[in-house]
Each structure stands twice: as structure tokens, then as C-alpha cells.
């Protein structure tokens, strides 16, 4: 049986309850120990971990600034060997100490990732390799994702997603002639890793955001080429529908909450922009839709309604007194609060 990972707080709660059941004679001590043995406590960010992470950051930056400040005085061979030596040195030390000092070992690998990334840029400069900066971030991401998989480290994979954000957005905005196809390889690979890592919350959020970003940029790149009159409205409308789809698409239980919230955020943000393009029927219909979601227990929809009110508050500034806007908004929010409190008393569930 695979042990389930839970937080320290949950483990302490279970331990307290099992102690109570043992005391009442419901379970034996052996059963209590066996049941507690079914769980592993997740490693929280300890003081040592934070200290070592900051140390890794400073070490990486220190080596890089030292090399950069003396770069012009070094020969190409020395420069290259220096980068390779630093890269191999910290990673070798990380592997060597992995069993005895796992946290220190991990911090050395973090420093290795920083040196690897900076080494790419320095080598490009040294050999006058002319490539777009976004391609350098792609190379950095390729190396980083390999280390993240080897170490089973969620934070390294989140950093990989961050590098890919720069890669794909840079590819679009530096006037690249072709779409950054590498992202189409990376995204499925990241979702496979996400499954292997049992869908950690923050990693799921960043990979989903990267996928949404990829689709949005693809639409922004391709729709104007079709020469429609209102290409921006078409892009926003497609993303709006995508948001609604994400809010209701059936996915794995661990993915569900984050994916659905991101769906609501996407259709909420795009709907705000679409209110400038469509006539009044769109915001009215959308407002009714949000009320329906609230009746279903969606808390995110309240935030979207507040944003919608604020958007029209700006437009109505000249002819509507501020106080009246605040009163209307306040009455609506109190009404929602009363509705949810009443619903909770009756045993209803809230979403998100």
C-alpha cells in the first residue's frame, strides 16, 4: 500500500483522534500505529530549507557576478572551463551529499540551475552566437525540467513553467516568423510530470496558466491573419467560451478545483473586455449567468460581479453619484452574504 502524504497539521489531528479512539477502546494500540503508518507527513518549508534556498540563490548570483565582472580579462578557454567547472562542481556536490544532507544537496542543485542558465547567456556572448533571448530561455527550461524530474522537485518545475512563460511570450513579441512550436512538446510533457507528481496545487495552477497563455497567444497570432474586421473581439470571445468550458470540463478530482477556478477567472476577465465591444445585452445576459452560478454556490462569481460593477461605475461616474453606486454594490453583496449564510444553515455546499 502506497502511503498517503498529508500535512503535519492533518497528521496531528488524526493522531489526536486515534488516541481518543484507543482510549475509548474502539481500536487497539496496534491498530492505531498501523493506521497512522498509512500516512506520510509532507515536508513543509522549514527555516533550514529557506536558509539553504537563499544561500543557493546568493551562491549562484555570486559566482555569476564574479565571472561577469572579470569576463573581459579572461581568455575564452578559461571562461568556458570556468562555467563548466562551476556547473559540474555544484551538481556533483549535490549528488554526493544527497543521502546525508538532502536539503543542502537540493540547494546546491538550485545553484546549479542558476549557473546553467547564466552559462547559456555567457557562452552565447563569448562565441558571438546570435539567437533570440527567448531561445536561450528555452534551452534553460530544457535543462531545468530534467533536473526537476530527477529531484522530483515541484519548485524547480514551477521555475521551468516561468522560463517557458518568457520563452513563448518573447517568441510572439520579438517578431518571430514562426510560432514557438517547442511549447507544444513541453506542455504534454509537463502534464505527464504533473500526473507523476500527483497533481500538486501550485504546479497545477502554473501549468494550466501556461496552457491558457499558449492558446491565447496562438489566437492573437493566427486570427488577425484571417483578416476579419473585429479580430480582437473574436479572440476575446473564443477565450470567453474557453473559460466557460474550463469551468465545467470534467477533470480529475485533484485538478478540478484549480481548473474550474481558472475557467471562471478567464471568462470573467474576458467578459469585462467584451462589455466594451458588445451592446448592453451581453453584460445583462452575463450578469444573469453569474447570478445562476452564485445560486450554485460559486464564490468566484461574486468577485466577478464586483469587477463588473466597478467597470460600469467608471462609465457612470459623470451622471451617477458615487454614493448610489456604493449603496447598490453594498446591498448586493450583503444579499449574497445572506443567501450563502442561509444556504449553509440548510446544509448546502459552496464551491471554490
Amino acid at each position: 500500500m502506497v502511503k498517503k502524504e498529508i500535512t503535519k497539521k492533518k497528521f496531528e489531528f488524526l493522531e489526536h483522534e486515534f488516541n481518543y479512539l484507543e482510549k475509548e477502546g474502539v481500536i487497539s494500540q496496534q491498530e492505531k500505529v498501523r493506521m497512522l503508518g498509512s500516512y506520510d507527513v509532507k515536508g513543509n518549508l522549514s527555516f533550514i530549507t529557506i536558509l539553504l534556498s537563499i544561500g543557493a540563490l546568493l551562491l549562484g548570483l555570486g559566482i555569476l557576478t564574479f565571472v561577469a565582472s572579470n569576463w573581459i580579462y579572461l581568455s575564452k578557454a578559461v571562461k568556458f572551463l570556468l562555467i563548466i567547472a562551476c556547473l559540474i562542481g555544484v551538481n556533483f556536490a549535490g549528488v554526493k551529499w544527497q543521502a546525508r544532507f538532502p536539503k543542502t544537496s537540493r540547494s546546491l542543485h538550485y545553484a546549479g540551475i542558476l549557473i546553467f542558465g547564466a552559462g547559456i547567456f555567457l557562452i552565447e556572448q563569448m562565441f558571438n552566437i546570435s539567437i533570440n533571448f527567448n531561445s536561450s530561455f528555452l534551452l534553460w527550461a530544457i535543462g531545468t525540467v530534467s533536473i526537476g524530474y530527477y529531484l522530483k522537485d515541484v519548485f524547480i518545475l514551477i521555475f521551468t513553467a516561468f522560463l517557458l512563460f518568457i520563452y513563448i511570450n518573447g517568441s510572439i513579441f520579438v517578431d518571430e516568423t514562426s510560432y514557438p512550436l517547442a511549447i507544444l512538446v513541453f506542455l504534454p510533457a509537463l502534464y505527464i510530470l504533473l500526473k507523476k507528481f500527483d497533481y500538486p496545487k501550485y504546479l497545477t495552477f502554473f501549468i494550466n496558466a501556461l496552457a491558457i497563455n499558449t492558446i491565447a497567444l496562438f489566437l492573437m497570432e493566427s486570427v488577425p491573419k484571417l483578416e476579419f474586421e473585429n479580430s480582437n473581439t473574436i479572440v476575446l470571445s473564443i477565450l470567453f467560451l474557453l473559460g466557460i468550458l474550463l469551468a465545467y470540463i470534467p477533470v480529475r478530482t485533484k485538478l478540478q478545483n484549480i481548473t474550474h477556478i481558472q475557467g471562471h477567472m478567464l471568462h470573467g476577465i474576458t467578459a469585462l473586455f467584451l462589455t466594451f465591444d458588445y451592446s448592453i445585452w451581453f453584460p445583462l445576459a452575463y450578469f444573469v449567468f453569474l447570478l445562476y452560478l452564485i445560486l450554485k454556490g460559486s464564490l468566484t462569481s461574486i468577485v466577478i460581479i464586483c469587477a463588473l460593477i466597478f467597470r460600469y461605475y467608471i462609465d457612470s461616474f459623470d451622471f451617477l453619484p458615487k454614493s448610489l453606486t456604493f449603496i447598490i454594490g453594498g446591498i448586493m453583496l450583503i444579499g449574497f452574504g445572506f443567501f450563502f449564510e442561509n444556504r449553509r444553515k440548510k446544509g448546502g455546499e459552496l464551491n471554490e
Side-chain angles (χ1 to χ4, degrees):
M1 176 182 173
V2 179
K3 290 186 177 182
K4 183 179 181 182
E5 280 198 345
I6 58 175
T7 62
K8 186 180 178 183
K9 190 175 179 182
K10 287 183 179 177
F11 186 83
E12 288 174 349
F13 171 77
L14 287 175
E15 191 175 29
H16 175 76
E17 292 300 309
F18 290 162
N19 284 336
Y20 167 74
L21 293 174
E22 181 192 2
K23 185 179 176 183
E24 295 295 319
V26 178
I27 59 174
S28 65
Q29 186 185 12
Q30 290 78 12
E31 287 173 323
K32 183 191 78 173
V33 172
R34 182 172 55 81
M35 287 190 284
L36 285 176
S38 305
Y39 300 95
D40 260 345
V41 179
K42 284 182 182 176
N44 292 325
L45 282 177
S46 64
F47 173 73
I48 296 175
T49 304
I50 295 171
L51 195 67
L52 288 170
S53 300
I54 295 173
L57 180 65
L58 293 177
L59 175 64
L61 291 176
I63 292 173
L64 296 174
T65 51
F66 172 78
V67 172
S69 60
N70 296 282
W71 200 243
I72 57 173
Y73 304 109
L74 303 175
S75 66
K76 286 186 178 180
V78 173
K79 293 173 185 175
F80 185 74
L81 290 174
L82 194 58
I83 294 169
I84 298 299
C86 289
L87 186 61
I88 293 176
V90 292
N91 282 299
F92 178 77
V95 173
K96 195 76 176 174
W97 288 353
Q98 193 164 354
R100 292 183 62 194
F101 307 103
K103 291 178 179 176
T104 304
S105 162
R106 190 148 301 215
S107 70
L108 289 172
H109 286 300
Y110 291 164
I113 287 171
L114 290 177
I115 294 170
F116 173 66
I120 291 172
F121 290 99
L122 291 174
I123 288 173
E124 286 173 10
Q125 181 190 354
M126 185 168 60
F127 294 105
N128 295 320
I129 301 172
S130 179
I131 59 174
N132 284 330
F133 76 97
N134 53 302
S135 299
S136 305
F137 279 95
L138 175 63
L139 293 175
W140 195 355
I142 291 171
T144 304
V145 74
S146 308
I147 298 173
Y149 176 71
Y150 167 72
L151 295 175
K152 301 289 185 291
D153 191 306
V154 172
F155 294 107
I156 294 178
L157 290 179
I158 290 175
F159 183 65
T160 304
F162 170 74
L163 295 176
L164 290 172
F165 270 114
I166 298 176
Y167 160 67
I168 185 170
N169 287 289
S171 300
I172 294 296
F173 292 111
V174 295
D175 197 24
E176 284 265 311
T177 53
S178 61
Y179 188 76
L181 294 174
I183 197 69
L184 302 181
V185 177
F186 255 106
L187 273 177
L190 287 176
Y191 275 108
I192 291 171
L193 289 180
L194 190 64
K195 183 181 178 182
K196 286 183 176 294
F197 282 41
D198 200 23
Y199 307 103
K201 188 167 53 176
Y202 296 115
L203 185 58
T204 302
F205 179 86
F206 277 99
I207 294 178
N208 279 348
L210 183 63
I212 293 169
N213 188 188
T214 302
I215 294 170
L217 290 178
F218 173 77
L219 292 171
M220 290 169 62
E221 178 79 4
S222 57
V223 172
K225 293 178 181 175
L226 300 175
E227 297 183 354
F228 288 115
E229 188 176 348
N230 299 313
S231 57
N232 288 338
T233 306
I234 293 172
V235 171
L236 285 171
S237 301
I238 294 173
L239 291 175
F240 173 76
L241 294 175
L242 176 64
I244 293 177
L245 178 67
L246 285 176
Y248 292 99
I249 191 170
V251 291
R252 291 175 180 272
T253 307
K254 286 199 166 184
L255 281 170
Q256 185 172 305
N257 197 32
I258 290 177
T259 304
H260 288 184
I261 287 177
Q262 287 179 306
H264 286 306
M265 290 170 63
L266 182 59
H267 73 66
I269 292 170
T270 50
L272 285 177
F273 285 102
L274 285 172
T275 57
F276 293 96
D277 294 346
Y278 288 136
S279 60
I280 193 65
W281 67 265
F282 175 77
L284 287 176
Y286 185 62
F287 185 75
V288 173
F289 174 64
L290 291 175
L291 290 178
Y292 166 77
L293 294 181
I294 291 172
L295 290 174
K296 292 290 183 183
S298 170
L299 297 176
T300 310
S301 299
I302 295 179
V303 179
I304 300 173
I305 283 185
C306 290
L308 204 59
I309 291 172
F310 184 72
R311 173 256 182 274
Y312 280 100
Y313 162 75
I314 295 174
D315 269 4
S316 60
F317 182 77
D318 292 335
F319 61 90
L320 191 67
K322 281 183 181 178
S323 55
L324 183 57
T325 307
F326 287 129
I327 290 170
I328 293 172
I331 290 174
M332 288 178 64
L333 292 179
I334 291 171
F336 291 145
F338 171 77
F339 168 76
F340 283 123
E341 186 178 12
N342 187 45
R343 182 188 174 100
R344 182 171 287 173
K345 280 188 176 179
K346 290 179 180 176
E349 293 184 357
L350 302 179
N351 300 323
E352 306 141 24

